[in-house]
Amino acid sequence: MTATDPALTALSNGWAALYLLYGRIETHIERALQAGHDLSVREYSLLDVLSRQHDGEGGHLQMKQVANAVVLSQSATTRLVTRLQDRGLLSRYLCPTDRRGIYTDVTPAGLALLAEARPTNDAALAEALGDAARNPELAPLVAAVEAMGPARPLPGAVPAR
């Protein structure tokens, strides 16, 4: 394949459309969460991921798993955890069976803020997808997102509590 190969051009155009859709959605949700709850998209995502942990086997996530779930580096995830801990939304404690492990849990204040912010996140997502669906280049991607439906967990997703 060459740089002018139609297959590469189609892939590039598809990626550009996907990136545009993602950017529009993230920006829309970011504005709504910041205005209504003083939360960034990353902070909301981290609270959401950590709220799905449980005490059963495999229920607590290692920092690497958390970083993968919120699509950040481990160091950026650690800084994000520290910021939310400083706000009283997360707590950290040593693993009771392995003193080298550190768990991070959402505090009651964090769970309350997450519950308050979830409708804002969901409404902003629906609004952003609705706006994007009116764009002929983005409409097929919106349809693909909507076709995934709520019953299909994403690979690597954290199981619900």
Side-chain angles (χ1 to χ4, degrees):
M1 288 211 250
T2 66
T4 57
D5 187 309
L8 282 178
T9 301
L11 283 175
S12 179
N13 289 343
W15 167 242
L18 182 59
Y19 188 71
L20 178 62
L21 177 63
Y22 170 80
R24 286 184 179 185
I25 291 170
E26 184 178 50
T27 299
H28 195 78
I29 294 172
E30 180 82 27
R31 286 184 186 135
L33 288 173
Q34 282 290 343
H37 309 284
D38 194 29
L39 278 176
S40 71
V41 169
R42 300 285 187 205
E43 290 167 339
Y44 175 88
S45 296
L46 181 64
L47 289 171
D48 184 52
V49 164
L50 291 175
S51 75
R52 296 172 192 274
Q53 296 184 118
H54 56 85
D55 289 330
E57 184 160 334
H60 279 84
L61 301 174
Q62 298 171 349
M63 197 55 72
K64 179 179 180 181
Q65 293 170 301
V66 174
N68 287 339
V70 296
V71 193
L72 289 173
S73 68
Q74 282 185 264
S75 61
T77 302
T78 299
R79 288 190 301 273
L80 185 57
V81 165
T82 299
R83 280 199 312 271
L84 292 177
Q85 183 179 14
D86 291 346
R87 289 176 59 186
L89 303 174
L90 296 179
S91 63
R92 291 188 232 196
Y93 62 94
L94 290 176
C95 171
T97 59
D98 179 359
R99 304 299 265 173
R100 297 170 295 172
I102 298 175
Y103 289 154
T104 303
D105 274 334
V106 183
T107 64
L111 289 172
L113 181 58
L114 180 62
E116 183 184 303
R118 191 176 308 279
T120 301
N121 179 79
D122 295 348
L125 173 60
E127 213 173 89
L129 286 171
D131 290 346
R134 290 188 283 281
N135 180 323
E137 292 178 346
L138 300 179
L141 294 173
V142 172
V145 169
E146 291 171 342
M148 290 186 74
R152 292 190 188 124
L154 296 173
V158 180
R161 278 187 172 185

